[in-house]
């Protein structure tokens, strides 16, 4: 196994580039600045901030990001063409991703070229970029479907000409974690002096798993987007990758995870895509508990049913009063709305809470809980007082 525990793992977030390529998503210049500031403040290592060759408006937004003076490295996406690189240089960035189609399918049917043409184009573009003192990541579009030997050739050229890393793209999200590990491990062994980034898509729901598998195989960079924005089913989600590395792999990448939910809401609003309440890691209700058994366990010790505390990602715990609530859950649900009930009172309320939730097909809100309390407990208190 290629070990990664002693390597520094960095997050290269592409929300402002690949995230904005989500069908129907457009960020304003103001929103881009806000997102960049937020990602920088939480400690993301690199931001892929746009495509200068798109035009003057895109270049203006990239220059505005450069002028913020952020700590994070800004990198732009380019085709492996000299005019694209010149457009990036004009924006004032010091790092570029040079993208080439590398699978035989795309080389032949998308760009109508040959493997030899791809190699020569890489040499021309990379040589120009390095002559201008740029940090270079060579992006292998559709690398997951490319011939492994050809990828090794390209990585050899990239390393020999001074590129800093190679981006292994699962462009269509068709890989499984086992194949990802094996391919990245092979490429790491073939070019040990060249860092590898994994750029994974979520078409089969495995973007985060594939990203982690890439790290296990020796990758030191992971490409992410906030909320998993991206083409089709999206990319590996920043929040999922960072917390999965931390909790499942024991790798802390140095990002302030307490800011994850706030960044998620910011991008959700800017993209006009609400964050689902049950979204992994950052959904507002992922720390909600209703089942009597689970609620009892989490109230005794949150670690019984929570893999990490909600505060770690900027959220709070919430006990739901619903069909499956138990006595302790009823007590806690009322405590959350400022009403103190005894266990005996909770027992009296429980059957009505359950039947009401069953009828409404949802948990009870604060007003409904208060009404039930006044009707069932308050009236009883009044009766006893009158007696």
């Amino acid at each position: 196994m290629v070990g990664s525990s002693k390597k520094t793992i960095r997050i290269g977030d592409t929300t402002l580039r690949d995230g904005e390529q989500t069908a129907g998503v457009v960020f304003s210049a103001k929103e881009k600045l806000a997102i960049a500031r937020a990602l920088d403040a939480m400690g993301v290592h690199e931001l892929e901030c746009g495509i200068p060759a798109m035009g003057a408006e895109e270049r203006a937004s990239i220059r505005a990001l450069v002028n913020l003076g952020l700590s994070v490295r800004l990198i732009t996406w380019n085709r492996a063409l000299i005019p694209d690189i010149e457009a990036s240089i004009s924006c004032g960035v010091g790092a570029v991703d040079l993208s080439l189609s590398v699978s035989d399918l795309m080389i032949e049917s998308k760009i109508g070229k040959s493997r030899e043409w791809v190699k020569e184009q890489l040499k021309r573009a990379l040589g120009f970029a390095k002559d201008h003192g740029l940090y270079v990541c060579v992006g292998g579009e559709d690398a997951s479907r490319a011939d492994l030997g050809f990828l090794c050739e390209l990585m050899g050229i990239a390393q020999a000409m001074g590129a800093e890393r190679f981006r292994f793209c699962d462009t269509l999200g068709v890989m499984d974690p086992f194949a990802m590990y094996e391919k990245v491990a092979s490429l790491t062994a073939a070019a040990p002096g060249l860092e590898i980034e994994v750029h994974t898509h979520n078409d089969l729901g495995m973007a985060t798993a594939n990203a982690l598998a890439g790290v296990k195989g020796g990758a030191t960079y992971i490409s992410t987007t906030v909320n998993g924005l991206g083409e089709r089913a999206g990319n590996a989600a920043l929040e999922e990758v960072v917390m999965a590395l931390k909790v499942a792999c024991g790798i802390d990448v140095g990002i302030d995870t307490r800011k994850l939910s706030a960044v998620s809401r910011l991008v959700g609003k800017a993209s006009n895509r609400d964050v689902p309440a049950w979204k992994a890691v950052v959904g507002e209700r992922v720390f909600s508990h209703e089942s009597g058994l689970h609620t009892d366990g989490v109230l005794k010790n949150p670690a019984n049913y929570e893999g990490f505390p909600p505060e770690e990602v900027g959220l709070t715990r919430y006990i739901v009063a619903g069909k499956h609530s138990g006595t302790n859950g009823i007590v806690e649900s009322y405590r959350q709305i400022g009403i103190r009930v005894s266990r005996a009172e909770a027992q009296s309320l429980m059957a009505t809470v359950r039947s009401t939730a069953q009828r409404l097909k949802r948990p009870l809100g604060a007003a409904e809980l208060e009404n039930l309390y006044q009707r069932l407990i308050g009236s009883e208190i009044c009766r006893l007082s009158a007696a």
Side-chain angles (χ1 to χ4, degrees), residues 258 261 281 287 302 306 308-318:
R258 296 169 299 178
S261 63
V281 179
F287 290 94
E306 292 175 355
F308 53 92
E311 297 80 11
E312 195 166 337
V313 292
L315 294 173
T316 57
R317 183 176 301 109
Y318 187 75

Side-chain angles (χ1 to χ4, degrees), residues 29 40 89 180 251 258 288 294 298 319 342:
D40 181 53
I89 293 170
M180 174 66 79
I251 300 173
R258 296 169 299 178
S288 292
H294 282 227
V298 85
I319 303 301
S342 66

